[in-house]
Amino acid sequence: MNNVVILPILIPLLTGIILIFFNKYIKVQRWISFCSTLITVLVAGYLVQTVFTDGIQTLQLGSWKAPFGIVLVADMLAAILVLTASIIVFTCLIYSFRNIGKARESYYYYAAVQFLTVGVLGAFLTGDIFNLFVFFEVMLMSSYVLIVIGGTKIQLRESIKYILVNVISSALFVIAVAYLYAVTGTVNIADLSAKISEIGQPGITTVISILFLIVFGLKGAIFPLFFWLPGSYHAPPIPITALFGALLTKVGVYAIIRTFTIIFYHDTGFTHTLIGILAGFTILVGVIGAVAHWDVKKIIIYNILTAVGVILIGVATLTPTSLAGSIYYLVHDMMIKAALFLLVGAMVVITGTSNLRKMGGLITHHPYLGWMFFIAAISLAGIPPFSGFIGKLLIVQGGLQAEHYVLVGAILLSSLLVLYSVMRIFINGFWGEAKLKKEEEKGTTNGLLFPITLLVAISVTLGIGAEWFYPYIDQAAKGLADPTIYIQAVLKE
Amino acid sequence: MKTNDLILQTVTKITVFIIFAYSLTLFFAGHNSPGGGFVGGLITSAGIVLLLLAFDLKTITTILPFDFKKVAALGLLFAAGTGIGSFLFGVPFLTHSFGHFDLPIFGETELATAVLFDTGVYLVVVGVTMTIIQTIGEDDD
């Protein structure tokens, strides 16, 4: 019994409720949400440290024993992701103070962000597949609000597509859970894993696993199911896009990692090969889109796809090395995607356009912004001292051990094209003749730089201080490589 | 054209109390027979909707001067609060308890903290339903 496990869910929930009462007092809302997200970050940090020293923490809600009640499980992977997600929410929140505008702020923006946090952190912490569905819905409902808040024409159009796709995928999720329940008679993840390894994953469970791959692939935007993402993520204002890009697709990826390492790992010849192929195509689509577009937001959005592909290749390989790489790359990518979206947002604030052809020479007046973008860009591509390198290195190493040469080649080639796509923003946006004089700029970057600096600094520390973080990542990867650790922690007598 | 709603309004004034009483019965019966916070809340809202149909929006907002968004938030606070109570007693989140009490009129009654959670559900359902209906109803002016 450890009630700390529920705190990362409970604090944002209470904050969201309280913020509903104060929707007209913007200052009060800002202070409440600032303090509560800061507390969430601290609690998440404490949780990571507790899991590191004392092993997997579980909380049986309502004192009902594990397979019968809902259980919250904070293993290392979940704890790390909770910490990462809460840091991202914290920085995006500070960015929104300057960027989101009074009209949206007085219309329950902060409450929606808090409920989104509840959904994301809950999805990471739950140990029950139906509860995972519920937290997915909490997350998606808040994201519907956030994507449409403000009610501009493009937001209305894209939110309809977004909601349609997600309603369909949620219905498929319910159907998949129903099939799985009919076969195994349980919805607790640890119990599911035990039951499925008893019957040795026959054909029907492999079919169900593919259904889950389709569901989580729709949420996490993998190859044939990514079509909704570029439009939907382009519509809302930048802090919201940053939250979406850093958190939402990663929850889908986390769900794929969870289900395919703990529940469905007996028929890897079929399921994991399929994941590998899809991941390869996801990378391909991502780099093609990133190279093709001249819109700074779109370039970063397509880079989300590439990252999802790279992470899933680590899962498809399923060796301890590649799993560690996947986890490292997941954490790195959440941080750096949020940072890049916020950086691109600052560029849009200054120039008043997201078209790269209309920008230029920003570095003459904004050197600090420029060099931070440079660091974030090479970190994204995976240049050695920075954080993107270690994750990709481990995935490539694991891929070579398992002799997946094509996939490894795809990762390496994609790094080059990712570097090209973000460097194009740097060269066209920051270098060259300054197109705008200081007085002609559309907005200031006051207050926008602090959250960006925070994210870039954390990401640089992740790369340089890899030695400090590796024990945590290693513990998480060990937990994934050996499901019995998870099962014993949950179903212990 | 001026319409005369005398029959509708008179019938509404009587039936609305029956509907409210029925919704409360369903709400409290939830533990041992079909019913509970969700359906209770829906039927309460149905009663208010009947009032809205018979009278106009302005009259109803003077009779029931609640901000229904805040009613929903209050309900959430109830539900989350029953969970937080568990922190005080050092048991896992949402652990519910019950006891037998000797009340003046009802005699020996079983009271459970799950009812408080259900009160939260009830308030959220009423709040959300009424917010949706009132927002759409107010929309054209």
Side-chain angles (χ1 to χ4, degrees), chain A residues 253-302:
Chain A
V253 173
Y254 166 80
I256 292 177
I257 296 179
R258 193 50 101 201
T259 42
F260 284 90
T261 55
I262 287 192
I263 306 176
F264 307 109
Y265 58 92
H266 303 281
D267 189 10
T268 50
F270 182 71
T271 52
H272 289 63
T273 311
L274 185 67
I275 295 177
I277 294 167
L278 294 181
F281 278 112
T282 311
I283 291 180
L284 193 68
V285 171
V287 289
I288 289 174
V291 169
H293 279 279
W294 277 90
D295 181 304
V296 282
K297 273 165 122 182
K298 278 265 164 72
I299 295 174
I300 309 295
I301 288 169
Y302 274 99

Side-chain angles (χ1 to χ4, degrees), chain A residues 1 3-4 6-7 10 13-14 17-18 20-23 59-63 107-108 115, chain B residues 67 69-74 76-77 80-81 83-84 86-87 90-96:
Chain A
M1 198 281 292
N3 264 335
V4 177
I6 190 110
L7 281 179
L10 194 60
L13 177 65
L14 277 179
I17 297 169
I18 291 166
I20 296 177
F21 290 104
F22 294 106
N23 68 314
L59 173 64
Q60 293 167 335
L61 293 181
S63 310
Y107 238 84
Y108 304 102
F115 289 128
Chain B
D67 180 351
K69 293 191 201 83
K70 295 198 171 137
V71 171
L74 190 72
L76 283 174
L77 214 53
I84 293 164
S86 61
F87 277 86
V91 288
F93 190 74
L94 280 177
T95 303
H96 285 285

Side-chain angles (χ1 to χ4, degrees), chain A residues 172-220:
Chain A
L172 283 176
F173 197 167
V174 176
I175 293 167
V177 171
Y179 280 142
L180 196 57
Y181 184 71
V183 173
T184 60
T186 179
V187 285
N188 181 291
I189 291 175
D191 200 29
L192 273 174
S193 174
K195 291 257 160 64
I196 286 192
S197 68
E198 264 170 39
I199 55 176
Q201 197 172 344
I204 179 80
T205 45
T206 305
V207 172
I208 296 168
S209 78
I210 298 305
L211 195 50
F212 273 109
L213 184 64
I214 293 171
V215 170
F216 297 141
L218 265 167
K219 318 269 187 198

Side-chain angles (χ1 to χ4, degrees), chain A residues 354-381:
Chain A
S354 63
N355 188 338
L356 197 49
R357 289 198 173 94
K358 293 182 184 153
M359 295 179 185
L362 286 176
I363 209 154
T364 40
H365 299 306
H366 303 279
Y368 185 63
L369 188 71
W371 293 115
M372 271 210 299
F373 186 88
F374 183 75
I375 294 173
I378 58 174
S379 178
L380 179 75

Side-chain angles (χ1 to χ4, degrees), chain A residues 433-445:
Chain A
E433 202 77 9
K435 293 210 173 149
L436 294 171
K437 289 204 195 72
K438 190 80 186 156
E439 312 79 64
E440 291 172 343
E441 285 173 359
K442 305 287 188 291
T444 74
T445 56

Side-chain angles (χ1 to χ4, degrees), chain A residues 81-210:
Chain A
L81 290 178
V82 164
L83 180 60
T84 318
S86 50
I87 290 172
I88 286 164
V89 171
F90 179 64
T91 46
C92 288
L93 199 79
I94 302 174
Y95 196 89
S96 333
F97 292 162
R98 283 284 172 168
N99 192 263
I100 204 78
K102 291 261 184 297
R104 288 190 171 99
E105 278 179 312
S106 60
Y107 238 84
Y108 304 102
Y109 170 73
Y110 293 117
V113 170
Q114 294 298 329
F115 289 128
L116 184 85
T117 321
V118 173
V120 172
L121 300 189
F124 289 147
L125 284 174
T126 186
D128 179 292
I129 203 131
F130 194 74
N131 200 228
L132 178 69
F133 168 76
V134 174
F135 276 121
F136 259 108
E137 286 306 299
V138 172
M139 176 183 90
L140 289 172
M141 297 268 173
S142 333
S143 73
Y144 301 156
V145 175
L146 287 175
I147 203 170
V148 83
I149 193 170
T152 58
K153 200 172 165 188
I154 176 174
Q155 281 180 294
L156 292 171
R157 189 184 69 217
E158 294 303 333
S159 65
I160 287 189
K161 295 179 197 166
Y162 181 74
I163 291 171
L164 259 177
V165 167
N166 278 304
V167 166
I168 290 167
S169 82
S170 297
L172 283 176
F173 197 167
V174 176
I175 293 167
V177 171
Y179 280 142
L180 196 57
Y181 184 71
V183 173
T184 60
T186 179
V187 285
N188 181 291
I189 291 175
D191 200 29
L192 273 174
S193 174
K195 291 257 160 64
I196 286 192
S197 68
E198 264 170 39
I199 55 176
Q201 197 172 344
I204 179 80
T205 45
T206 305
V207 172
I208 296 168
S209 78
I210 298 305

Side-chain angles (χ1 to χ4, degrees), chain B residues 26-36 110:
Chain B
L26 275 177
F27 171 67
F28 283 113
H31 200 75
N32 299 312
S33 50
E110 185 187 320

